[in-house]
Amino acid sequence: MITEQFIPKKLDYLVDTVSYKWQTPSNIALVKYWGKRTPQIPKNVSISFTLNNCHTITSIEFEKSSDNKKVNFELFFEGKKNEAFKPKIAQFFERIKVYCPYVFEYDMIIDSSNSFPHSSGIASSASGLSAIAMCLMSLEKALNSNLSEDFLKKKASFLARLGSGSASRSIEGPLVVWGKHPDVDGSSDLFGVQFPFKVASVFENYQDAILLVDKGEKQVSSTVGHNLMHNHPYAAQRFIQASENLSEISQVLQNGDVDTFINIVESEALTLHAMMLTSNPYFILMKPNTLQIINKIWEFRNNTDSKICFTLDAGANVHVLYPEKEKEIVNQFIENELSKFCQNKQFILDFAGNGAKIL
Ligand code: DP6
């Protein structure tokens, strides 16, 4: 495959100590990635809105190492030394070492924090791993000044994907496609690409209110869920459906047909959870309040001319999506009618943003 292009040919180790800090966002998929094969290759195409407010800020201090046989790093999370997340990051370095041989040359101090409350049920792997990937790419650029901005983003997404699939969609914004698809030129299973078409004005600054229904640890991790798509009785049909939905949503995003958008997005959310319900072993990540909220949203849409809709990720939280011009009325509705179904009435107001930022 074309992974060769990501192996650096020549690096000049002229830098001894350097530090970079990046802010990278979370994202919410409209067409969902669910099912993968080694090494982190998706079974179907996905597309997501990049978020603006939900992000991770990560700095990495690189210092020339005296022991270049293994990858040495320390991890701080929200200001405290963290051992619990270390294995996941160590596995990430293991996967990327051929593409980033410099991880052996430098000792790293990684310092990371999230804008959203820890254990809010918002997956921090997408923003967390994309932030590390951007810091690594800043170092790579310092070791090889010939790298173009375009290559830098592509490789950052490629690296982030090896950490967590959905992280590949957290480098750019506001809409990113990951997975090869005939309708999207340049799309790839290896990295995310910006949605290449002009988007109808109704989808600009699209709003996403994240309702925190259940902040507890998930009973089944995404990785386990993805694996259950092997030998899943409906998998083959699901992967075809995702590809068809991508074609349709691509048209909809361009022509501004919000009703069809709602139909695809809600169906994708429920199909994702239907895959979980019909896996073996089967599992349920939605909670009673998830369903209460969905019903309230449907009721509100039926009784008003609102274009509000919902999507779900691999958990109980509900993402409420709506056009910017409905912001006031929908935010009121959330406050008055939906927040009571959230843990401690908590929700986060966000909207589609532009991706990674250096600080
Ligand atoms: C339901 O990216 O968390 O949010 O690749 O194993 O890290 P790994 O999985 P992850 O899966 C996300 C699944 C999803 C849908 C999506 O974001 O497309």
Side-chain angles (χ1 to χ4, degrees):
M1 246 183 177
I2 45 163
T3 50
E4 281 283 303
Q5 64 174 306
F6 296 116
I7 302 176
K9 305 228 159 25
K10 186 176 169 297
L11 295 167
D12 297 316
Y13 288 104
L14 301 176
V15 181
D16 282 339
T17 345
V18 71
S19 167
Y20 301 102
K21 191 189 250 189
W22 279 90
Q23 172 180 319
T24 59
S26 183
N27 67 72
I28 180 67
L30 304 171
V31 172
K32 309 286 181 182
Y33 148 58
W34 199 242
K36 63 176 169 180
R37 60 185 170 82
T38 313
Q40 294 281 100
I41 300 296
K43 289 283 187 92
N44 66 260
V45 66
S46 57
I47 183 170
S48 50
F49 271 130
T50 305
L51 297 182
N52 191 76
N53 301 336
C54 290
H55 61 245
T56 296
I57 293 179
T58 295
S59 66
I60 305 188
E61 250 179 78
F62 297 94
E63 194 179 324
K64 229 15 186 328
S65 180
S66 50
D67 162 23
N68 55 15
K69 296 219 164 36
K70 61 185 201 357
V71 180
N72 297 308
F73 71 96
E74 276 185 52
L75 181 66
F76 291 82
F77 181 67
E78 320 258 89
K80 288 201 201 91
K81 203 159 181 173
N82 186 298
E83 295 299 322
F85 298 160
K86 261 189 121 176
K88 180 146 181 140
I89 310 290
Q91 183 194 42
F92 170 63
F93 286 131
E94 185 57 34
R95 284 183 187 159
I96 65 161
K97 64 186 184 193
V98 235
Y99 308 105
C100 307
Y102 40 84
V103 294
F104 289 100
E105 303 293 328
Y106 293 88
D107 294 337
M108 294 173 274
I109 301 177
I110 306 172
D111 193 344
S112 197
S113 54
N114 293 334
S115 67
F116 43 88
H118 181 49
S119 73
S120 56
I122 298 178
S124 58
S125 63
S127 52
L129 286 153
S130 54
I132 296 179
M134 287 311 298
C135 291
L136 292 174
M137 288 314 296
S138 288
L139 174 67
E140 185 167 328
K141 189 154 168 67
L143 306 178
N144 172 8
S145 52
N146 292 329
L147 296 187
S148 71
E149 280 304 304
D150 188 51
F151 176 83
L152 207 140
K153 281 186 188 153
K154 202 187 255 189
K155 182 165 171 182
S157 171
F158 170 84
L159 296 176
R161 180 200 106 241
L162 289 168
S164 176
S166 55
S168 67
R169 300 186 312 241
S170 272
I171 304 293
E172 295 183 273
L175 281 159
V176 177
V177 177
W178 170 43
K180 190 145 187 53
H181 193 277
D183 293 1
V184 180
D185 268 359
S187 59
S188 169
D189 286 348
L190 301 177
F191 45 79
V193 296
Q194 226 167 356
F195 182 67
F197 306 108
K198 187 166 168 31
V199 170
S201 57
V202 64
F203 293 116
E204 281 169 14
N205 304 320
Y206 219 65
Q207 306 289 301
D208 178 7
I210 306 152
L211 308 190
L212 306 179
V213 171
D214 185 52
K215 303 196 287 175
E217 185 84 357
K218 274 189 276 184
Q219 290 131 323
V220 180
S221 73
S222 289
T223 304
V224 172
H226 285 292
N227 282 335
L228 290 171
M229 288 302 278
H230 300 299
N231 308 317
H232 190 293
Y234 308 130
Q237 189 52 41
R238 160 62 196 152
F239 301 141
I240 294 170
Q241 180 198 43
S243 176
E244 290 170 355
N245 280 347
L246 195 286
S247 296
E248 205 176 357
I249 208 164
S250 165
Q251 290 306 316
V252 159
L253 288 165
Q254 295 171 69
N255 66 24
D257 175 357
V258 190
D259 291 328
T260 308
F261 174 86
I262 291 172
N263 182 269
I264 297 168
V265 167
E266 292 191 344
S267 163
E268 274 288 322
L270 294 178
T271 303
L272 168 71
H273 284 258
M275 291 299 112
M276 300 172 190
L277 299 176
T278 49
S279 294
N280 202 350
Y282 39 80
F283 59 105
I284 304 178
L285 296 183
M286 290 185 285
K287 298 282 180 198
N289 281 350
T290 311
L291 300 181
Q292 296 273 21
I293 291 168
I294 291 174
N295 281 312
K296 284 275 175 199
I297 288 173
W298 284 343
E299 198 181 291
F300 185 74
R301 201 163 71 217
N302 280 338
N303 295 340
T304 63
D305 56 6
S306 171
K307 301 294 183 192
I308 187 175
C309 73
F310 72 87
T311 187
L312 306 167
D313 55 17
N317 293 341
V318 181
H319 288 248
V320 186
L321 302 176
Y322 44 104
E324 189 182 24
K325 67 168 195 283
E326 289 190 25
K327 200 165 142 179
E328 228 161 279
I329 179 157
V330 174
N331 290 359
Q332 266 308 313
F333 166 64
I334 291 170
E335 179 72 53
N336 297 344
E337 301 288 332
L338 301 184
S339 66
K340 57 174 171 265
F341 300 112
C342 303
Q343 272 195 5
N344 307 324
K345 297 193 157 190
Q346 263 186 301
F347 59 90
I348 298 171
L349 297 176
D350 209 339
F351 58 95
N354 288 323
K357 281 188 206 138
I358 193 156
L359 299 177

